[in-house]
Amino acid sequence: MSGFGALWQDPQVTNALLVGTVVSALAGLVGVFVVMRGQAFAGHILTDVGAAGASGSLLAGVNAWYGFVSFGLLAGTGVEVFGNRARSRDAGTGIVLSFAMGLEALFLFLVTRYTNNAGATMLILFGSLFTADPSLTPVVVGVALFMVALLLFIYRPLLLCTVNPEIAQARGVRVRLIGVLFMLLMVLAVENASIVAGALLATALLIGPAAAAMRLTTRTSLALLLAAGIGVTVTGLGILLAYESYYWPPTGRGWPVGFFISALIFLIYLAVGFGRSSAGAGRSSAGAGHRPQKGA
Amino acid sequence: MFFAGFVVNAYISGAVIACLAAMVGFFTLLRGSAFAAHALPKVGFAGAAGAILIRADPIIGLAVFATGGALAMGWLGRRGRRDVAVALTLVVALGTGALFLVLQNGYASDAYSLLFGQTVGISSRQVFDTLVLGVAGIVSLLILYRPLLFASITPEGAQARGLPVDRVDTAFLVITGLATAVTVPVVGILLTFSLIVAPAAAAGHLTHRPLRSLATSAGIAVVTVWAALTMAFVTGLPIGFFVATISTLVYAGARLVEFLLRTRTDGGRQGVR
Amino acid sequence: MSAIPVLEVEGLSVTLGGRTVLDEINIRIQPGQFIGLIGPNGAGKTTLLRVILGLIKPDRGTVRIAGGTSRGGKPRGGNRFIGYVPQKLHLDPDAPLRGRDLVALGLDGDRWGIPFPSQRRHRRIDEGLAAVDALAFADKPVGRLSGGEQQRLTIAQALLTDPKLLLLDEPLSNLDIRSVHEVVRLIAGIGRQNGIAVLLVAHDLNPLLGVMDEVLYLARGRAVQGRVEKIIQKDVLSRLYGYDVEVLRTAGRILVVGGADSGLDVLDLAGGFHCGHEGGAIS
Ligand SMILES: Nc1ncnc2c1ncn2[C@@H]1O[C@H](COP(=O)(O)OP(=O)(O)O)[C@@H](O)[C@H]1O
Ligand SMILES: [Mg+2]
């Protein structure tokens, strides 16, 4: 336990813990709705599109966060505008995604070749919380807190639209507007998480805690709390373990935060599932009452 | 330069890969399993990184992880939501992959070449492997064609007729993993998904007959890959970028053709395609 | 009738996840009979169909189809005696699949390999399409057809194996009133003409009133079978539900209404909307 003493004095670590907590709480909250609405794929797509933007901004010499967010917003708008009109969901999103990934490949390739920065790919795809630019912290934290407030503000109509869009429409809820606002929430949750865990692992923070929480309870409000709690815990533990791992073999390199986060999340998900099935709780799930969804 | 051995090799493997990927794509769209098709190449990437770490052939690591990941998605998916199962499998594999990459000494160029695809220096041995695996995948899809179609469209009906729907589903996921394993080395992790989804999506706008659609997607995919290979050789940029761009254009073209045909036939009787 | 029953279920009990879903069920269906399987949500209707198909192994009891004993467990021999119409298609509008391709799966969808076109195959498929009056939209993409049209295609798919018994799971939900009557008339006609027994699941019995020979009423995992006038009675249904229900007959419709102590709980109503203590009191 050689590392933990110095831990709290290290500004990099405290910064990482602050950013990590806020970002994973937001991702957990939004994730519950993402899972309920069957939008895990859409959420994941945003990470890839974001990565295209991030690599583009590295090419341009701007902080990756701006690339993540701007491309994410662009893609989110695209999915909202075209996704609803496109008659075939999977094909349409697939095409958008495949084009974005083409750009991602090109940008990453160019970054690696012209900036001679082989670490750039690693940075974008797998994240590096410890080297996060501290000047960005207020922006990330501010945006995340604002998004949590927005989620709480639209909580009830969002839930109604998610569970029963027809009834929501009949009651005069502006389903379309709620959809757009939720897409905005999802974009910012995902792109913020991308900074923490990297584009490839933001999906972990978005889907994992929510899926585990929804195996534990069928009450939405409780699921939200649990998801945020699991997300924060897992991220905190991941950061501490990653810090500690500098003393593990091969010494001096440190294991990636994303590895710890995803491994912990998966273990929790499995443990929760087995705990529940041995308790014989039947078929109930927090997804009850939602449209059965075929795709994955 | 165009007669260099590896160029010919690239065109041969490209054709086989394109056929297999597009056929997988046809069923992928029919079943709404695009997320799995998107995730498996990335899962395979982790395997490649692991193989490099233990100094094994990255392609073998890729194949093991892609098929193993497919099985994991099937197993988890039967016990929960399908999209969550895919997301979690993906996430765990990537986390492990990140670890493998870090544990290697610095920059693992082999792993990164898989990210973008490798078109130069394809050996005859590799072409042979690709041919064997690719043809095996194509043949198994043709054999599975009817049960898979049945299980994809009316799963309950297929089950009632005694089809082992779960096993057919798993078989398809494994074939997707296999297709991934042969496609990634050429096209790259990032754009294997394009080759799976885009030709099938385009073909879906050109015909509504399943077999014809299957054949059309394969044809589109072969043309796409050959064109992309040519451009990659000429420009030296990653082939994946060209696969994505050409695919997007072909998709747009297919929709345009559909639109034109529809406006033409709307005047008279609805055309039967 | 002295013929061998198409379906004979005796003393059937099924437990799922520790709960008794079906409890000592007895059913007897004669060739060509039209039976409406009626019951509230969660009564066990789908479970019963799955047991008949051999997809769920019963804990106790026997299922005999056309005289032969079903082993329970895996459906062998492709269930050619039974046609099954599942509840709903989930198909993409752009899915590359025409009506006739969907129907063709009923003919040989469980065989390996790609289908080889033949005159005979084409004729069989056309006959199937004609039987449900679906030739007009047979070449259109299935995903763009209306719910009623899709329903007719899945019925044609189930008929291609020349079944003796047709099982339909809630074929009428998600249909507008006009299509409901069309589909009911179509199914009844096919059953009569070909001597196929029909077991049709619905949660509202009114659309079936003119056509069904008998009703099989399922509630709390138990079942009663008989003619509508005999079964849809206050005392019979009250015994089945385990508490007092009322049966109202107005303007040619039948409403089954929950007991006075729980207010006005409508159990079955045209259009099938349920209110009141649905989960608690009934299931
Ligand atoms: N695999 C299963 N495990 C546990 N319970 C089940 C399972 N399948 C169905 N049930 C339960 O059995 C009951 C009957 O279900 P079902 O046959 O689908 O009802 P119906 O079709 O009449 O609406 C329900 O309470 C349902 O929750
Ligand atoms: Mg049912």
Side-chain angles (χ1 to χ4, degrees), chain A residues 262, chain B residues 42-44 46-47 65 88-98 100:
Chain A
S262 61
Chain B
K42 292 179 170 181
V43 172
F65 264 56
L88 287 175
T89 309
L90 170 65
V91 153
V92 173
L94 286 175
T96 322
F100 290 155

Side-chain angles (χ1 to χ4, degrees), chain B residues 26 29-30 141-164 167-168 200 203-205 207-211 213-214 251 255 258 262 270 272-273, chain C residues 50 53 55 74-80 82 84 86-98 101-102 105-116 121 139-141 144 154 157 161:
Chain B
F26 167 82
L29 289 186
L30 202 59
L141 272 183
L142 287 178
I143 292 175
L144 272 177
Y145 175 81
R146 269 182 290 183
L148 188 53
L149 202 63
F150 205 174
S152 307
I153 292 158
T154 45
E156 298 99 336
Q159 218 180 10
R161 284 284 292 278
L163 264 184
R167 249 178 288 162
V168 171
H205 286 281
T207 170
H208 289 296
R209 299 174 178 228
L211 270 176
S213 179
L214 193 69
Y251 177 76
R255 296 204 68 156
E258 184 194 34
R262 202 180 279 172
Q270 184 78 33
V272 173
R273 286 174 294 155
Chain C
R50 292 177 64 83
L53 285 165
L55 295 170
K74 292 267 156 5
R76 299 264 170 77
N79 262 341
R80 294 201 155 243
I82 312 178
Y84 178 57
Q87 196 163 343
K88 199 176 180 300
L89 282 177
H90 307 271
L91 263 189
D92 205 283
D94 282 328
L97 194 82
R98 297 163 304 167
D101 301 311
L102 181 76
L105 289 173
L107 190 63
D108 52 15
D110 49 351
R111 306 266 173 81
W112 304 110
I114 57 173
F116 289 98
R121 191 168 183 277
D139 290 304
K140 294 226 174 112
R144 292 183 194 163
T154 44
Q157 190 196 58
T161 50

Side-chain angles (χ1 to χ4, degrees), chain A residues 184-234:
Chain A
L184 179 72
L185 274 167
M186 191 155 84
V187 167
L188 288 168
V190 164
E191 307 306 352
N192 265 344
S194 295
I195 287 291
V196 178
L200 294 181
L201 287 169
T203 310
L205 286 177
L206 188 71
I207 306 300
M214 288 168 65
R215 285 186 146 197
L216 280 171
T217 176
T218 51
R219 279 178 42 201
T220 313
S221 51
L222 197 57
L224 285 169
L225 280 178
L226 276 172
I230 293 174
V232 169
T233 312
V234 160

Side-chain angles (χ1 to χ4, degrees), chain B residues 157-227:
Chain B
Q159 218 180 10
R161 284 284 292 278
L163 264 184
V165 170
D166 278 351
R167 249 178 288 162
V168 171
D169 287 351
T170 307
F172 176 66
L173 275 173
V174 171
I175 295 175
T176 310
L178 175 79
T180 301
V182 294
T183 309
V184 161
V186 176
V187 182
I189 305 281
L190 293 174
L191 276 312
T192 292
F193 174 68
S194 288
L195 196 58
I196 289 180
V197 163
H205 286 281
L206 295 176
T207 170
H208 289 296
R209 299 174 178 228
L211 270 176
R212 221 177 259 187
S213 179
L214 193 69
T216 310
S217 357
I220 291 176
V222 171
V223 172
T224 303
V225 166
W226 280 356

Side-chain angles (χ1 to χ4, degrees), chain C residues 40-47 49 84 87 169-170 201 203:
Chain C
N41 280 328
K45 305 181 295 289
T46 299
T47 307
L49 295 194
Y84 178 57
Q87 196 163 343
D169 199 353
E170 310 223 10
V201 174
H203 49 246

